[in-house]
Each structure stands twice: as C-alpha cells, then as structure tokens.
Amino acid sequence: MSTTEELIASAEAHSAPTYHPLPVVVATADGAWMTDVEGRRYLDLLAGYSALNFGHGNRRLIEAAKAQLERVTLTSRAFHHDRFAEFCARLAELCGMEMVLPMNTGAEAVESAVKTARKWGYRVKGVPEGMAKVVVAGNNFHGRTTTIISFSTDSEARADFGPYTPGFEIVPYGDLTAMRAAVTENTVAVLLEPIQGEAGVLVPPAGYLAGVRELTRERNVLFVADEIQSGLGRTGRTFACEHEGVLPDMYVLGKALGGGVVPVSAVVSSREVLGVFRPGEHGSTFGGNPLACAVALEVIAMLRSGEYQRRATELGEHLHRELGQLAGSGRITQVRGRGLWAGIDIDPVYGTGREISEKLMDRGVLVKDTHGSTVRIAPPLVISKEDLDWGLAQLRGVLGA
Ligand SMILES: Cc1ncc(COP(=O)(O)O)c(C=O)c1O
C-alpha cells in the first residue's frame, strides 16, 4: 500500500464516517496550491468552502497568529483581553452595524442568531411567549446542529436526528409571494443565505433580497443574512447582500473570518437587537478569544483595502466568461454564481459530480461536487489568472472540450 492508501485506511478505521473525501492526503499548502504526502501538487478550487478566501498560509494572517500565540491565546470571557474591543468595533464597522456576538463555528453563529431573534421577538416586538417563528428557505444550508437540521429540507441531513426543534416555516427560495404569505405577527426573523452555496450556488432572482428587506421592514421582522459562505469578498463585494443595496438587520459570519487559520464566527447587528442579552444568557468558552480576534482583525484590515473584492470581481468575470463558453458547447447545462464563485451543472453523460471531481483530481485540480452532477468552483481569491486558466483547461480536458 502507498502512504496515501495507508493514511486513508487508518482515517477510515478511526473516524466517524460523516464524510466521503476525495482520495488525496494533503501535507502542505501555499496560496492556491496544496501538496500531498507523496509530493503531488493540486490547485485548490474549493478553498475550504470559502474559509480560505485569502489563500493557504497567507503571510499576514500567519504572522498575526504567531505574534498573538506568543502573547496570550485564551482568557475566556470571564476576563477582558486587549484584542477584544478592537475586534468588535472593527467588525461592527465593516458590517455597518453596532454590536458583535462572537462565536467559533458557523453553526454556532446561526444558533446564536436564532436565539437572538427569538429573544428580540419576546422582549422588543412583544410576541407571546413560546410563539416565535422564523421563516427560512427551502434547500437552505445553515449547519448541522439539531435545531438547524430541524429546518433543513435535505432528508440526508435530517433522517434519524429527530425529534426536531419547532418554530420554523419553510418557503421556496426566491419566492417573495410565498415569503409574504408565511410572515405573521409572530414572525421574529427571516433567515436566508443571499446566495445558496451548498444547494449549488443558487443566486435568487433579481430584486428578491431587496423585496425581503422591504417586507421585513414593513412587518417588523428581522432580516438575518447568513453570509458565512457568501460573505467576506467571495462575490466581489464584502457582503453578497450589497449586490442589491441591502443592509440586513443581522449578519451571520464565519469561515473566512478566521482566515482558514482558526474558527471564528459572529453575529453582527444593532444595539436594539444584540442588546437584548443579559450576562449568563448566552456564551462560549472560546468565542472572541485573543487568537481568534488577532487573526480576524487582520482579515478585516485586508477586506478594508478592497483588494480581494476587486480580485473576486475581475477574476470572477473571467471565470464566468470561460464557463459560459463551455456551457455554449453543451457540456455544461447551467452555470450560476457571482464573483469568484460558480456552481456548474455538468451534462450527466460526462459523469456524476463525484466522478468529475475524481477525474479533475487525477489532473491536479481539487473541487467538490454538491448534488448530482453539480460541481462548485470557489478558488482562494489570491489565485492567479494563469492558475485559474490552467484549472479551467483541466476541466475542459475532463469534459473532452
Ligand atoms: C451558509 C452556511 N451557513 C452555515 C454553515 C455552517 O458552518 P460550520 O460548518 O462552520 O458550522 C455553512 C457551512 O458550509 C454555510 O455554508
């Protein structure tokens, strides 16, 4: 057996089989490239599901982390630490909001957003106790906790995990009429991904997010945007909501906020909304820790320069032009996306998404299938145009174009 096979066999023997990874074992990575244990190089067109927007081993992020590692890494929230105030202030400012609730993973931040919206509903909106409803979209992906999978429409994500948390109303994504009908006086929030990543990079119809904004404002309902995957530069803007000129009531952030170095997530909102909490009502041992704050502060500084958003816009236009040509050749049935982010539906005669991903791996390109014959392309935003073109040439090769 090769080292790769041995390591995979050992991982399969000792880890819960919750994933079906491609048979590659990464040892090192730099920028948009990863190298496996046998020295083979791969172009990373997944970027850790957008957690690696700034690339592998980004020097600014690594230096920020190293410097903080030498000072203090964890205090818990029992005490203040000297990076916390700046992190909260800068993140709130980046979002055009006032307060931050720091957590670690995306799912924790979504859970925190749901708890925040419910508490706001009871304390501020005046919803009768126990009656709060949150409206969500079909095909959503917000994480894997018991409450979050309770409002998933993916049977694989839900099966055998009941009983489910009540209090959620599911409407079709992109359908404003259905959304309007679902919102009642007990609705405290509408929770949406501005672009549905895991569903296959689904972009809602133009005007949808602006329509949701108008409806939620009219009905005194919080608009909660889960920008965990769509946010922080991926679509060419800091937030995908900006494409429709929308400022939601709450951003839920994660993934790239920790620069692919440490898990950092947050709920960001107004004082009226996040100010509903009292000490002891919510918390996290690691949320807002010094190492997380130091890395996230560097991420925020990088986003403030606008450089990554510009790269995502320019390279994204190129990516979509090239994929459009492949679609014209009939090998791809649909391309969706925005910025440096694309979901491509491949004609099933060329194989399932998994088979295409394996063939790309053999050619030195790493991507991930989502559903059926859909493959997602989301390179680190630091990828060069030459490397992106090389990756696209491999895709053409796999499709015989
Ligand atoms: C939109 C969205 N929300 C939430 C999550 C969950 O994040 P995590 O895996 O960090 O819990 C994801 C992960 O893919 C996501 O894409």
Side-chain angles (χ1 to χ4, degrees):
M1 270 208 290
S2 70
T3 313
T4 298
E5 283 165 344
E6 279 168 13
L7 288 169
I8 291 173
S10 178
E12 284 174 355
H14 302 292
S15 67
T18 50
Y19 281 86
H20 181 34
L22 288 173
V24 56
V25 182
V26 175
T28 61
D30 182 30
W33 290 88
M34 298 200 272
T35 304
D36 77 3
V37 286
E38 299 184 40
R40 284 184 293 255
R41 295 183 80 225
Y42 300 87
L43 184 65
D44 180 5
L45 296 189
L46 178 66
Y49 302 93
S50 288
L52 286 154
N53 279 1
F54 310 101
H56 294 275
N58 184 292
R59 289 322 306 167
R60 282 181 68 172
L61 298 178
I62 298 297
E63 291 308 323
K66 275 187 179 166
Q68 191 61 44
L69 279 169
E70 298 291 342
R71 293 180 65 229
V72 58
T73 53
L74 187 70
T75 55
S76 82
R77 295 288 304 281
F79 316 113
H80 291 274
H81 67 76
D82 66 0
R83 313 307 307 268
F84 188 68
E86 194 186 357
F87 162 70
C88 294
R90 291 277 104 77
L91 183 57
E93 185 184 41
L94 184 79
C95 297
M97 298 200 184
E98 294 168 325
M99 275 191 170
V100 170
L101 171 57
M103 300 299 286
N104 310 283
T105 64
E108 276 181 306
V110 172
E111 286 274 350
S112 305
V114 170
K115 286 176 74 177
T116 306
R118 285 180 170 183
K119 193 170 264 296
W120 173 86
Y122 298 127
R123 296 281 175 83
V124 180
K125 183 170 176 176
V127 170
E129 187 54 40
M131 301 293 283
K133 281 264 185 320
V134 175
V135 177
V136 299
N139 291 323
N140 69 72
F141 186 86
H142 296 286
R144 299 290 195 173
T145 65
T146 318
T147 288
I148 293 172
I149 57 103
S150 295
F151 56 85
S152 169
T153 54
D154 175 358
S155 56
E156 223 174 27
R158 283 171 60 90
D160 299 333
F161 298 127
Y164 303 108
T165 309
F168 298 93
E169 196 79 46
I170 305 171
V171 297
Y173 188 61
D175 184 341
L176 208 47
T177 308
M179 171 82 68
R180 193 169 284 117
V183 169
T184 69
E185 69 240 31
N186 290 337
T187 305
V188 295
V190 166
L191 166 64
L192 289 178
E193 298 155 86
I195 293 177
Q196 290 190 322
E198 295 306 298
V201 195
L202 302 188
V203 182
Y208 178 63
L209 299 175
V212 172
R213 175 65 285 184
E214 202 181 307
L215 170 70
T216 47
R217 193 171 281 132
E218 243 171 58
R219 309 283 280 273
N220 194 24
V221 166
L222 301 177
F223 182 1
V224 181
D226 178 347
E227 294 249 20
I228 287 169
Q229 192 163 163
S230 60
L232 310 185
R234 173 59 53 193
T235 66
R237 299 284 176 90
T238 306
F239 303 104
C241 281
E242 289 176 53
H243 290 281
E244 288 209 1
V246 162
L247 182 66
D249 297 297
M250 208 189 287
Y251 277 126
V252 190
L253 305 175
K255 293 196 193 283
L257 190 56
V261 179
V262 279
V264 187
S265 69
V267 175
V268 190
S269 188
S270 63
R271 188 161 285 115
E272 175 195 302
V273 173
L274 278 172
V276 294
F277 285 111
R278 294 291 164 264
E281 292 178 347
H282 192 61
S284 159
T285 303
F286 285 91
N289 70 73
L291 183 59
C293 289
V295 173
L297 272 166
E298 205 59 36
V299 165
I300 294 163
M302 285 158 69
L303 285 168
R304 284 167 64 89
S305 76
E307 177 194 339
Y308 297 89
Q309 295 88 326
R310 264 193 306 279
R311 286 190 71 81
T313 301
E314 288 165 17
L315 288 172
E317 278 167 11
H318 179 65
L319 170 72
H320 284 280
R321 217 172 15 249
E322 295 290 312
L323 290 174
Q325 276 171 15
L326 258 181
S329 76
R331 289 168 172 86
I332 290 177
T333 53
Q334 201 186 42
V335 185
R336 299 168 298 273
R338 189 159 264 165
L340 205 46
W341 198 18
I344 52 181
D345 297 341
I346 290 166
D347 186 329
V349 301
Y350 296 99
T352 61
R354 173 75 187 194
E355 286 161 353
I356 301 285
S357 303
E358 284 172 355
K359 286 181 191 163
L360 280 168
M361 188 194 83
D362 292 340
R363 287 169 167 261
V365 174
L366 295 179
V367 294
K368 175 78 173 71
D369 53 305
T370 51
H371 301 279
S373 290
T374 302
V375 170
R376 162 198 7 215
I377 296 186
L381 308 182
V382 297
I383 193 172
S384 69
K385 182 165 175 291
E386 293 68 34
D387 286 345
L388 181 60
D389 279 336
W390 181 82
L392 288 168
Q394 304 318 307
L395 178 63
R396 272 189 222 98
V398 164
L399 299 179

